[in-house]
Coordinates of all heavy atoms in Angstrom, one line a residue:
M113 N 0.8 -1.2 0.0 CA 0.0 0.0 0.0 C 0.9 1.2 0.0 O 1.7 1.4 0.9 CB -0.9 0.0 1.2 CG -1.8 1.2 1.4 SD -3.0 1.1 2.7 CE -1.9 0.9 4.1
K114 N 0.7 2.0 -1.0 CA 1.6 3.2 -1.2 C 0.7 4.5 -0.8 O -0.3 4.8 -1.4 CB 2.1 3.4 -2.6 CG 3.2 4.3 -2.8 CD 3.6 4.5 -4.2 CE 4.0 3.3 -4.9 NZ 4.4 3.5 -6.3
I115 N 1.2 5.2 0.3 CA 0.5 6.4 0.7 C 0.8 7.5 -0.3 O 2.1 7.8 -0.4 CB 0.8 6.8 2.1 CG1 0.4 5.7 3.1 CG2 0.2 8.1 2.5 CD1 -1.0 5.6 3.4
I116 N -0.1 8.2 -0.8 CA 0.2 9.3 -1.7 C 0.0 10.6 -1.0 O 0.8 11.5 -1.0 CB -0.7 9.3 -3.0 CG1 -0.5 8.0 -3.7 CG2 -0.5 10.5 -3.9 CD1 1.0 7.8 -4.3
C117 N -1.1 10.7 -0.3 CA -1.4 11.9 0.6 C -1.3 11.6 2.0 O -2.2 10.9 2.6 CB -2.8 12.4 0.2 SG -3.3 13.9 1.1
R118 N -0.2 12.0 2.6 CA 0.0 11.7 4.0 C -0.9 12.5 4.9 O -1.3 12.0 6.0 CB 1.5 12.0 4.4 CG 2.5 11.1 3.7 CD 3.9 11.6 4.0 NE 4.0 12.9 3.2 CZ 5.0 13.7 3.4 NH1 5.9 13.4 4.3 NH2 5.1 14.8 2.7
C119 N -1.3 13.6 4.5 CA -2.1 14.5 5.4 C -3.5 13.9 5.5 O -4.2 13.9 6.5 CB -2.2 15.9 4.8 SG -0.7 16.8 4.7
E120 N -4.1 13.3 4.4 CA -5.4 12.8 4.4 C -5.5 11.3 4.3 O -6.6 10.7 4.1 CB -6.2 13.5 3.2 CG -6.4 15.0 3.4 CD -7.3 15.4 4.6 OE1 -8.1 14.6 5.0 OE2 -7.1 16.5 5.1
D121 N -4.4 10.7 4.4 CA -4.3 9.2 4.4 C -4.9 8.6 3.2 O -5.8 7.7 3.2 CB -5.0 8.7 5.7 CG -4.4 7.4 6.1 OD1 -3.3 7.0 5.8 OD2 -5.1 6.7 6.9
V122 N -4.5 9.1 2.0 CA -5.1 8.6 0.7 C -4.0 7.7 0.1 O -2.8 8.2 -0.1 CB -5.4 9.7 -0.2 CG1 -6.0 9.2 -1.6 CG2 -6.5 10.6 0.5
T123 N -4.3 6.5 -0.3 CA -3.3 5.6 -1.0 C -3.5 5.6 -2.5 O -4.5 6.2 -3.0 CB -3.6 4.2 -0.5 OG1 -4.9 3.7 -1.0 CG2 -3.6 4.0 1.0
E124 N -2.5 5.1 -3.1 CA -2.5 5.0 -4.6 C -3.7 4.2 -5.0 O -4.4 4.5 -6.0 CB -1.2 4.3 -5.1 CG -1.1 4.3 -6.6 CD 0.2 3.7 -7.1 OE1 0.9 3.0 -6.3 OE2 0.5 3.9 -8.3
E125 N -4.0 3.1 -4.3 CA -5.2 2.2 -4.6 C -6.5 3.1 -4.5 O -7.3 2.9 -5.4 CB -5.2 1.1 -3.6 CG -6.3 0.1 -3.9 CD -6.3 -1.1 -2.9 OE1 -5.5 -1.1 -2.0 OE2 -7.0 -2.0 -3.2
D126 N -6.6 4.0 -3.5 CA -7.8 4.8 -3.4 C -7.9 5.6 -4.6 O -9.0 5.8 -5.2 CB -7.7 5.7 -2.2 CG -7.7 5.0 -0.9 OD1 -8.3 3.9 -0.8 OD2 -7.1 5.6 0.1
I127 N -6.8 6.2 -5.1 CA -6.9 7.1 -6.3 C -7.2 6.2 -7.6 O -8.1 6.7 -8.3 CB -5.5 7.8 -6.5 CG1 -5.3 8.8 -5.3 CG2 -5.4 8.5 -7.8 CD1 -3.9 9.4 -5.3
I128 N -6.6 5.1 -7.7 CA -6.9 4.3 -8.9 C -8.4 3.8 -8.8 O -9.1 3.9 -9.9 CB -6.0 3.0 -8.9 CG1 -4.6 3.5 -9.2 CG2 -6.5 2.0 -9.9 CD1 -3.5 2.4 -9.1
N129 N -8.9 3.5 -7.7 CA -10.3 3.1 -7.6 C -11.3 4.3 -7.9 O -12.3 4.1 -8.6 CB -10.6 2.5 -6.2 CG -10.1 1.2 -6.0 OD1 -9.8 0.5 -7.0 ND2 -9.8 0.8 -4.8
A130 N -10.9 5.5 -7.5 CA -11.7 6.7 -7.8 C -11.7 6.9 -9.3 O -12.7 7.3 -9.9 CB -11.2 7.9 -7.0
I131 N -10.5 6.7 -9.9 CA -10.5 7.0 -11.4 C -11.3 5.9 -12.1 O -12.1 6.2 -13.0 CB -9.0 6.9 -11.9 CG1 -8.2 8.1 -11.3 CG2 -8.9 6.9 -13.3 CD1 -6.7 8.0 -11.4
K132 N -11.3 4.7 -11.6 CA -12.1 3.6 -12.2 C -13.6 3.9 -12.0 O -14.4 3.5 -12.8 CB -11.8 2.3 -11.6 CG -10.5 1.7 -12.1 CD -10.1 0.3 -11.5 CE -8.8 -0.2 -12.0 NZ -8.3 -1.3 -11.2
D133 N -13.9 4.6 -10.9 CA -15.3 5.0 -10.6 C -15.7 6.3 -11.4 O -16.9 6.7 -11.2 CB -15.5 5.2 -9.1 CG -15.5 3.9 -8.4 OD1 -15.7 2.9 -9.0 OD2 -15.3 4.0 -7.1
G134 N -14.8 6.8 -12.2 CA -15.2 8.0 -13.0 C -14.5 9.3 -12.9 O -14.8 10.2 -13.6
C135 N -13.7 9.4 -11.8 CA -12.9 10.6 -11.7 C -11.9 10.8 -12.8 O -11.2 9.9 -13.1 CB -12.2 10.7 -10.4 SG -13.2 10.8 -8.9
T136 N -11.9 12.0 -13.4 CA -11.0 12.2 -14.5 C -10.1 13.5 -14.4 O -9.3 13.8 -15.2 CB -11.8 12.4 -15.9 OG1 -12.7 13.5 -15.7 CG2 -12.5 11.2 -16.2
T137 N -10.4 14.2 -13.2 CA -9.6 15.4 -12.9 C -9.1 15.4 -11.5 O -9.6 14.7 -10.7 CB -10.4 16.7 -13.2 OG1 -11.4 16.7 -12.2 CG2 -11.0 16.7 -14.6
L138 N -8.1 16.2 -11.2 CA -7.6 16.4 -9.9 C -8.7 17.0 -9.0 O -8.8 16.6 -7.8 CB -6.3 17.2 -9.9 CG -5.1 16.6 -10.4 CD1 -3.9 17.6 -10.5 CD2 -4.7 15.4 -9.6
D139 N -9.5 17.9 -9.5 CA -10.5 18.5 -8.7 C -11.5 17.4 -8.3 O -12.0 17.4 -7.1 CB -11.3 19.5 -9.5 CG -10.8 20.9 -9.1 OD1 -10.0 21.0 -8.2 OD2 -11.2 21.9 -9.8
E140 N -11.8 16.5 -9.2 CA -12.8 15.4 -8.8 C -12.2 14.5 -7.7 O -12.8 14.1 -6.8 CB -13.2 14.6 -10.1 CG -14.1 15.4 -11.0 CD -14.3 14.7 -12.3 OE1 -13.6 13.8 -12.6 OE2 -15.2 15.2 -13.0
L141 N -10.9 14.2 -7.9 CA -10.2 13.4 -6.8 C -10.2 14.1 -5.5 O -10.4 13.5 -4.5 CB -8.8 13.0 -7.3 CG -8.6 12.1 -8.5 CD1 -7.1 12.0 -8.9 CD2 -9.2 10.7 -8.1
K142 N -10.0 15.4 -5.6 CA -10.0 16.2 -4.3 C -11.4 16.1 -3.6 O -11.5 15.9 -2.4 CB -9.7 17.6 -4.7 CG -9.7 18.6 -3.6 CD -9.2 20.0 -4.1 CE -9.4 21.0 -3.0 NZ -9.1 22.3 -3.6
H143 N -12.4 16.2 -4.4 CA -13.8 16.2 -3.9 C -14.2 14.8 -3.3 O -14.8 14.7 -2.3 CB -14.9 16.6 -4.9 CG -14.8 18.1 -5.3 ND1 -15.0 19.1 -4.4 CD2 -14.4 18.7 -6.4 CE1 -14.8 20.2 -5.0 NE2 -14.5 20.0 -6.2
V144 N -13.7 13.8 -4.0 CA -14.1 12.4 -3.6 C -13.2 11.9 -2.4 O -13.7 11.3 -1.5 CB -14.0 11.5 -4.8 CG1 -14.1 10.0 -4.3 CG2 -15.1 11.8 -5.8
L145 N -11.9 12.2 -2.5 CA -11.0 11.6 -1.5 C -10.3 12.6 -0.5 O -9.6 12.2 0.4 CB -9.8 11.0 -2.3 CG -10.2 9.9 -3.3 CD1 -8.9 9.5 -4.1 CD2 -10.7 8.7 -2.6
R146 N -10.6 13.9 -0.6 CA -10.0 14.9 0.2 C -8.5 15.1 -0.1 O -7.7 15.6 0.6 CB -10.3 14.8 1.7 CG -11.7 14.9 2.1 CD -11.9 15.0 3.6 NE -10.9 16.0 4.2 CZ -11.2 17.3 4.3 NH1 -12.2 17.8 3.8 NH2 -10.3 18.1 4.9
L147 N -8.1 14.5 -1.3 CA -6.7 14.6 -1.7 C -6.3 16.1 -1.8 O -7.0 16.9 -2.4 CB -6.6 13.9 -3.1 CG -5.3 13.9 -3.8 CD1 -4.4 12.8 -3.1 CD2 -5.4 13.8 -5.2
G148 N -5.2 16.4 -1.2 CA -4.7 17.8 -1.3 C -5.3 18.8 -0.4 O -5.1 19.9 -0.5
M149 N -6.2 18.3 0.5 CA -6.9 19.2 1.4 C -6.3 19.3 2.9 O -6.9 19.8 3.7 CB -8.4 18.9 1.4 CG -9.0 19.1 0.1 SD -10.8 18.6 0.0 CE -11.5 20.0 0.9
G150 N -5.2 18.6 3.0 CA -4.6 18.6 4.4 C -3.7 19.8 4.6 O -3.7 20.8 3.8
P151 N -3.0 19.8 5.7 CA -2.2 21.0 6.1 C -1.2 21.5 5.1 O -0.9 22.7 5.0 CB -1.5 20.6 7.4 CG -2.3 19.5 7.9 CD -3.0 18.8 6.7
C152 N -0.6 20.6 4.3 CA 0.3 21.0 3.3 C -0.3 21.5 2.0 O 0.4 22.0 1.1 CB 1.4 19.9 3.0 SG 0.9 18.7 1.9
Q153 N -1.7 21.4 1.9 CA -2.4 21.8 0.8 C -2.0 21.2 -0.6 O -1.9 21.8 -1.6 CB -2.4 23.3 0.6 CG -3.2 24.0 1.8 CD -4.7 23.8 1.7 OE1 -5.3 24.3 0.8 NE2 -5.2 22.9 2.6
G154 N -1.6 19.9 -0.5 CA -1.2 19.2 -1.7 C 0.2 19.4 -2.3 O 0.4 19.1 -3.4
R155 N 1.0 20.0 -1.4 CA 2.4 20.3 -1.9 C 3.1 19.1 -2.5 O 3.8 19.1 -3.5 CB 3.2 21.0 -0.8 CG 4.5 21.6 -1.3 CD 5.1 22.5 -0.3 NE 4.2 23.6 0.1 CZ 4.2 24.2 1.2 NH1 5.2 24.0 2.1 NH2 3.4 25.2 1.5
T156 N 2.9 17.9 -1.8 CA 3.6 16.7 -2.2 C 2.7 15.8 -2.9 O 3.1 15.1 -3.8 CB 4.2 16.0 -1.0 OG1 3.2 15.7 -0.1 CG2 5.3 16.9 -0.4
C157 N 1.4 15.7 -2.6 CA 0.6 14.7 -3.1 C 0.0 15.0 -4.5 O -0.2 14.1 -5.3 CB -0.5 14.3 -2.2 SG -1.7 15.7 -1.8
I158 N -0.3 16.3 -4.8 CA -0.9 16.7 -6.0 C 0.0 16.3 -7.3 O -0.5 15.7 -8.2 CB -1.3 18.1 -6.1 CG1 -2.4 18.4 -5.1 CG2 -1.7 18.6 -7.5 CD1 -3.7 17.6 -5.3
P159 N 1.3 16.6 -7.2 CA 2.1 16.1 -8.4 C 2.1 14.6 -8.5 O 2.1 14.1 -9.7 CB 3.5 16.7 -8.0 CG 3.3 17.8 -7.1 CD 2.1 17.4 -6.3
M160 N 2.2 13.9 -7.4 CA 2.1 12.4 -7.6 C 0.8 12.0 -8.1 O 0.7 11.0 -8.9 CB 2.4 11.7 -6.2 CG 3.9 11.9 -5.8 SD 4.3 10.9 -4.4 CE 3.5 11.8 -3.1
A161 N -0.3 12.6 -7.6 CA -1.7 12.2 -8.1 C -1.8 12.5 -9.6 O -2.4 11.8 -10.3 CB -2.7 12.9 -7.3
A162 N -1.2 13.6 -10.0 CA -1.3 14.0 -11.4 C -0.6 12.9 -12.3 O -1.1 12.5 -13.4 CB -0.6 15.3 -11.7
C163 N 0.5 12.3 -11.8 CA 1.2 11.2 -12.5 C 0.3 10.0 -12.5 O 0.3 9.3 -13.6 CB 2.6 11.0 -11.8 SG 3.8 12.2 -12.1
I164 N -0.3 9.7 -11.5 CA -1.2 8.5 -11.4 C -2.3 8.7 -12.4 O -2.7 7.8 -13.2 CB -1.7 8.2 -10.0 CG1 -0.5 7.8 -9.1 CG2 -2.7 7.1 -10.0 CD1 -0.8 7.9 -7.6
L165 N -2.9 9.9 -12.3 CA -4.0 10.2 -13.2 C -3.6 10.1 -14.7 O -4.3 9.6 -15.5 CB -4.5 11.6 -12.9 CG -5.9 12.1 -13.5 CD1 -7.0 11.2 -13.1 CD2 -6.2 13.5 -13.0
S166 N -2.4 10.6 -14.9 CA -1.9 10.5 -16.3 C -1.7 9.1 -16.8 O -2.2 8.7 -17.8 CB -0.5 11.2 -16.4 OG 0.2 10.9 -17.5
R167 N -1.1 8.3 -15.9 CA -0.9 6.9 -16.2 C -2.2 6.1 -16.4 O -2.4 5.3 -17.4 CB -0.1 6.2 -15.1 CG 0.3 4.8 -15.3 CD 1.0 4.2 -14.1 NE 0.0 4.0 -13.1 CZ 0.3 4.1 -11.8 NH1 1.5 4.4 -11.4 NH2 -0.7 3.9 -10.8
E168 N -3.2 6.4 -15.5 CA -4.5 5.6 -15.6 C -5.4 6.1 -16.7 O -6.2 5.3 -17.2 CB -5.2 5.7 -14.2 CG -4.4 5.1 -13.1 CD -4.2 3.6 -13.3 OE1 -5.1 2.9 -13.7 OE2 -3.1 3.1 -13.0
T169 N -5.3 7.4 -17.1 CA -6.2 7.8 -18.1 C -5.6 7.9 -19.5 O -6.3 8.1 -20.5 CB -6.8 9.2 -17.7 OG1 -5.7 10.2 -17.7 CG2 -7.5 9.2 -16.4
G170 N -4.3 7.9 -19.5 CA -3.6 8.0 -20.8 C -3.3 9.4 -21.3 O -2.9 9.6 -22.4
K171 N -3.7 10.4 -20.4 CA -3.5 11.8 -20.7 C -2.0 12.1 -20.4 O -1.4 11.5 -19.6 CB -4.3 12.7 -19.8 CG -5.8 12.7 -20.1 CD -6.4 13.6 -19.1 CE -7.9 13.6 -19.2 NZ -8.5 14.5 -18.2
K172 N -1.5 13.1 -21.1 CA -0.1 13.6 -20.8 C -0.3 14.4 -19.5 O -1.3 15.0 -19.2 CB 0.4 14.5 -21.9 CG 0.7 13.8 -23.2 CD 1.1 14.8 -24.2 CE 1.4 14.1 -25.5 NZ 1.7 15.1 -26.6
V173 N 0.8 14.4 -18.7 CA 0.8 15.1 -17.4 C 0.5 16.6 -17.7 O -0.2 17.2 -17.0 CB 2.1 14.9 -16.7 CG1 2.2 15.8 -15.4 CG2 2.3 13.5 -16.3
S174 N 1.1 17.1 -18.9 CA 0.9 18.5 -19.2 C -0.6 18.8 -19.5 O -0.9 20.0 -19.5 CB 1.8 18.9 -20.4 OG 1.4 18.1 -21.5
E175 N -1.4 17.8 -19.8 CA -2.8 18.0 -20.1 C -3.6 18.0 -18.9 O -4.8 18.4 -18.9 CB -3.3 16.9 -21.1 CG -2.7 16.9 -22.4 CD -3.1 15.7 -23.3 OE1 -3.6 14.7 -22.7 OE2 -2.9 15.8 -24.5
I176 N -3.1 17.6 -17.7 CA -3.8 17.6 -16.5 C -3.8 18.9 -15.8 O -2.7 19.5 -15.5 CB -3.3 16.5 -15.6 CG1 -3.5 15.1 -16.3 CG2 -3.9 16.5 -14.2 CD1 -3.0 13.9 -15.6
E177 N -5.0 19.5 -15.6 CA -5.1 20.8 -15.0 C -4.8 20.7 -13.5 O -5.5 19.9 -12.8 CB -6.5 21.3 -15.2 CG -6.7 22.7 -14.9 CD -8.1 23.2 -15.2 OE1 -8.6 22.8 -16.3 OE2 -8.7 24.0 -14.4
L178 N -3.8 21.4 -13.0 CA -3.5 21.5 -11.6 C -4.5 22.4 -10.9 O -4.9 23.4 -11.5 CB -2.1 21.9 -11.4 CG -1.0 21.0 -12.0 CD1 0.4 21.7 -11.8 CD2 -1.0 19.7 -11.4
Q179 N -4.7 22.0 -9.7 CA -5.7 22.8 -8.9 C -5.0 24.2 -8.6 O -3.8 24.3 -8.5 CB -6.1 22.1 -7.6 CG -4.9 21.9 -6.7 CD -5.3 21.2 -5.4 OE1 -6.4 20.5 -5.4 NE2 -4.6 21.3 -4.4
T180 N -5.8 25.2 -8.4 CA -5.3 26.5 -8.1 C -5.4 26.7 -6.6 O -6.4 26.2 -6.0 CB -6.1 27.6 -8.8 OG1 -7.4 27.4 -8.5 CG2 -5.8 27.6 -10.3
S181 N -4.4 27.3 -6.0 CA -4.5 27.5 -4.5 C -5.2 28.8 -4.3 O -5.1 29.7 -5.1 CB -3.1 27.6 -3.9 OG -2.3 28.5 -4.5
R182 N -6.0 28.9 -3.2 CA -6.8 30.0 -2.9 C -6.4 30.6 -1.6 O -6.8 30.0 -0.6 CB -8.3 29.7 -2.9 CG -8.7 29.2 -4.3 CD -10.2 29.0 -4.2 NE -10.6 28.2 -5.4 CZ -11.6 27.3 -5.5 NH1 -12.2 27.1 -4.4 NH2 -11.8 26.7 -6.6
P183 N -5.6 31.6 -1.6 CA -5.2 32.3 -0.3 C -6.5 32.9 0.3 O -7.4 33.2 -0.4 CB -4.2 33.3 -0.6 CG -4.4 33.6 -2.1 CD -5.0 32.3 -2.7
P184 N -6.4 33.2 1.7 CA -7.5 33.9 2.3 C -7.8 35.3 1.5 O -6.8 35.9 1.1 CB -7.1 34.1 3.7 CG -6.0 33.2 3.9 CD -5.4 32.9 2.6
V185 N -9.0 35.7 1.5 CA -9.4 37.0 0.8 C -8.7 38.1 1.5 O -8.1 39.0 0.9 CB -10.9 37.2 0.8 CG1 -11.2 38.6 0.2 CG2 -11.6 36.1 -0.1
V186 N -8.7 38.1 2.8 CA -8.0 39.1 3.6 C -7.0 38.3 4.5 O -7.4 37.4 5.2 CB -9.1 39.8 4.5 CG1 -8.3 40.8 5.4 CG2 -10.1 40.5 3.7
P187 N -5.7 38.7 4.5 CA -4.8 38.1 5.4 C -5.2 38.2 6.8 O -5.6 39.2 7.3 CB -3.5 38.8 5.1 CG -3.7 39.5 3.8 CD -5.2 39.8 3.7
V188 N -5.1 37.1 7.5 CA -5.4 37.1 9.0 C -4.1 36.7 9.8 O -3.6 35.6 9.5 CB -6.5 36.0 9.2 CG1 -6.9 36.0 10.7 CG2 -7.7 36.3 8.3
P189 N -3.7 37.6 10.7 CA -2.6 37.2 11.5 C -2.8 36.0 12.3 O -3.9 35.8 12.9 CB -2.3 38.5 12.4 CG -3.1 39.6 11.7 CD -4.2 38.9 11.0
L190 N -1.8 35.1 12.5 CA -2.0 33.9 13.3 C -2.4 34.2 14.7 O -3.2 33.5 15.3 CB -0.7 33.1 13.3 CG -0.4 32.4 12.0 CD1 0.9 31.6 12.0 CD2 -1.6 31.4 11.6
G191 N -1.9 35.4 15.3 CA -2.2 35.8 16.6 C -3.7 36.0 16.8 O -4.3 35.6 17.8
T192 N -4.4 36.5 15.8 CA -5.8 36.7 15.8 C -6.5 35.4 15.8 O -7.5 35.2 16.6 CB -6.3 37.5 14.6 OG1 -5.6 38.8 14.6 CG2 -7.8 37.8 14.6
L193 N -6.1 34.5 15.0 CA -6.7 33.1 15.0 C -6.5 32.4 16.3 O -7.4 31.8 16.8 CB -6.2 32.3 13.9 CG -6.5 32.8 12.5 CD1 -5.7 31.9 11.4 CD2 -7.9 32.7 12.2
A194 N -5.3 32.5 16.9 CA -5.0 31.8 18.1 C -5.7 32.4 19.4 O -6.0 31.7 20.3 CB -3.5 31.9 18.4
S195 N -6.1 33.7 19.3 CA -6.7 34.3 20.4 C -8.2 33.9 20.6 O -8.8 34.1 21.6 CB -6.6 35.9 20.3 OG -7.5 36.3 19.3
G196 N -8.8 33.4 19.5 CA -10.1 33.0 19.5 C -11.2 34.1 19.4 O -12.4 33.9 19.5
E197 N -10.7 35.3 19.1 CA -11.6 36.5 18.9 C -12.5 36.2 17.7 O -12.0 35.7 16.7 CB -10.8 37.7 18.7 CG -10.0 38.2 19.9 CD -9.1 39.4 19.6 OE1 -9.4 40.1 18.6 OE2 -8.2 39.6 20.4
N198 N -13.7 36.7 17.8 CA -14.6 36.5 16.7 C -14.7 37.7 15.7 O -15.3 37.6 14.7 CB -16.0 36.2 17.2 CG -16.1 34.8 17.9 OD1 -15.4 33.9 17.5 ND2 -16.9 34.6 18.9
D199 N -14.1 38.8 16.1 CA -14.2 40.0 15.3 C -13.2 40.1 14.3 O -12.1 40.2 14.2 CB -14.2 41.2 16.1 CG -15.5 41.3 17.0 OD1 -16.5 40.8 16.6 OD2 -15.4 41.9 18.1
Ligands
FES129 S1 0.1 15.3 1.5 FE1 -1.8 15.6 0.6 S2 -2.5 17.5 1.5 FE2 -0.6 17.1 2.5

């Protein structure tokens, strides 16, 4: 069993099964498996998942659309988050 996403505990087998069940994009894998939604935000697992998706679907890696990262709309200092303030 090869772990691909350590943050969300997703294995290569999970990804292959999701592709067999109809997932054809990284976004679909993300929605089904939570792939790339852990603390590292897919820094290590998304490139590996793209390779698996390429291999299993026959697409070139360059044809696979990588997910876009979305930073917070307004930067929030960590101290504010840690204080538990609601404002
Ligand atoms: S390894 Fe997948 S989100 Fe961190």
Side-chain angles (χ1 to χ4, degrees):
M113 177 172 63
K114 194 186 302 179
I115 299 284
I116 301 300
C117 180
R118 293 172 291 168
C119 298
E120 295 294 333
D121 207 22
V122 178
T123 66
E124 181 177 20
E125 185 179 7
D126 293 332
I127 294 171
I128 291 170
N129 287 336
I131 293 168
K132 285 179 181 170
D133 288 343
C135 289
T136 58
T137 66
L138 287 174
D139 262 352
E140 289 172 347
L141 291 173
K142 181 178 171 181
H143 291 295
V144 170
L145 301 172
R146 293 192 50 82
L147 178 81
M149 296 177 75
C152 82
Q153 292 291 290
R155 194 169 297 160
T156 57
C157 62
I158 292 298
M160 288 191 286
C163 289
I164 295 168
L165 192 58
S166 166
R167 184 185 70 213
E168 296 297 318
T169 62
K171 292 181 186 174
K172 293 179 183 174
V173 174
S174 60
E175 294 173 342
I176 295 175
E177 190 174 320
L178 296 177
Q179 63 181 21
T180 54
S181 58
R182 296 183 193 147
V185 175
V186 177
V188 180
L190 287 177
T192 303
L193 294 174
S195 72
E197 294 176 16
N198 290 329
D199 294 332

